[in-house]
Amino acid sequence: AEMMKDQGYSTAGFVGINFLGSTHGFAKGFDYYNEPTTESSWNSKEYKKDDETMQTLWGNWWIPDMLDWMKEHADKPFFIWAHYFEVHFLSEKWLLYSGKMPKDELSDWAYYDGKLKYMDEHFIQPMNQQLKNLGIWDNTAIALTSDHGETLGPDNPNWEDYFFNYPQHKTMLEDDIRVPLIFKGADVPKGKRIENTTAAVDLVP
């Protein structure tokens, strides 16, 4: 964000868990930063280590705010970093209990495909449409990736089994460390395969 800001871009960040909050330095370089609060998050959990306790806030529905910010800053270059949390394990409980996602539809692996479908319909498609409505779709670059994969367990696990035996971001299994990477932009080379081992940090250059 600081690099983009130095190049004259307006910068905004939108995150779905307070691990990525301003307390941990993630808001640095952003003109505007939307992060979870006790009011906006749908779950909180305490992590304890030795004598330290860290309160985490899960979930933060920032999509409407991002679309509004995009509209307000469409007349000049802008950079947005957005972290969508509602495809993460356990978010299906909130989506189901709040009636946002239909029960028993695409329910395998803790509704993994159902959550991806919900993300596409309520985040990706509205974002793309907003860019088109604002007339900036053709000259906007998008990079879509993930911070970790999903160690897929049994089709219909009980919650304890899934949580302890098929945890996310706790293994070096292929399902956990391989992530999607989708680029959209005029300068993106089509059909190029990178043979080297890559990491998320390689997105920047």
Side-chain angles (χ1 to χ4, degrees):
E2 289 178 292
M3 294 165 61
M4 302 302 287
K5 194 172 175 63
D6 288 344
Q7 296 297 317
Y9 284 70
S10 298
T11 57
F14 302 85
V15 297
I17 188 171
N18 70 339
F19 280 149
L20 304 176
S22 53
T23 302
H24 303 292
F26 283 92
K28 196 174 180 184
F30 287 102
D31 300 316
Y32 177 76
Y33 205 72
N34 183 322
E35 59 186 300
T37 65
T38 53
E39 292 76 24
S40 67
S41 62
W42 42 259
N43 189 37
S44 63
K45 182 177 177 63
E46 283 190 350
Y47 287 89
K48 295 183 179 180
K49 184 177 181 181
D50 300 326
D51 294 330
E52 294 185 20
T53 299
M54 183 168 66
Q55 184 77 18
T56 63
L57 301 174
W58 296 14
N60 180 34
W61 195 253
W62 43 256
I63 313 298
D65 190 33
M66 185 199 73
L67 297 177
D68 289 342
W69 189 93
M70 192 182 292
K71 184 176 181 179
E72 293 171 7
H73 296 81
D75 59 340
K76 60 180 182 179
F78 64 80
F79 169 74
I80 290 176
W81 177 54
H83 174 269
Y84 180 93
F85 187 76
E86 276 70 24
V87 77
H88 200 282
F89 175 57
L90 294 180
S91 64
E92 66 279 0
K93 287 192 171 185
W94 174 69
L95 291 168
L96 289 168
Y97 293 161
S98 61
K100 298 179 183 298
M101 192 168 66
K103 187 180 180 182
D104 300 326
E105 181 181 308
L106 299 174
S107 60
D108 291 349
W109 305 304
Y111 287 87
Y112 190 59
D113 287 338
K115 290 179 288 189
L116 288 173
K117 181 174 182 281
Y118 189 87
M119 177 181 68
D120 180 54
E121 293 175 348
H122 294 87
F123 169 33
I124 304 299
Q125 291 185 39
M127 176 185 69
N128 291 351
Q129 190 59 53
Q130 179 74 309
L131 291 169
K132 292 172 183 178
N133 292 344
L134 295 171
I136 56 175
W137 168 260
D138 291 333
N139 65 341
T140 297
I142 298 174
L144 189 153
T145 188
S146 177
D147 56 341
H148 61 80
E150 170 87 24
T151 307
L152 300 176
D155 284 3
N156 292 291
N158 63 61
W159 297 109
E160 184 174 319
D161 179 62
Y162 199 92
F163 189 81
F164 289 105
N165 296 325
Y166 302 92
Q168 293 181 327
H169 51 67
K170 294 181 182 178
T171 78
M172 290 298 287
L173 299 174
E174 287 289 280
D175 286 347
D176 223 2
I177 64 174
R178 295 190 69 176
V179 296
L181 177 59
I182 300 171
F183 281 121
K184 174 263 173 196
D187 297 329
V188 176
K190 292 179 173 58
K192 184 174 181 178
R193 177 178 291 274
I194 307 298
E195 299 295 343
N196 307 55
T197 298
T198 59
V201 70
D202 297 314
L203 273 171
V204 175

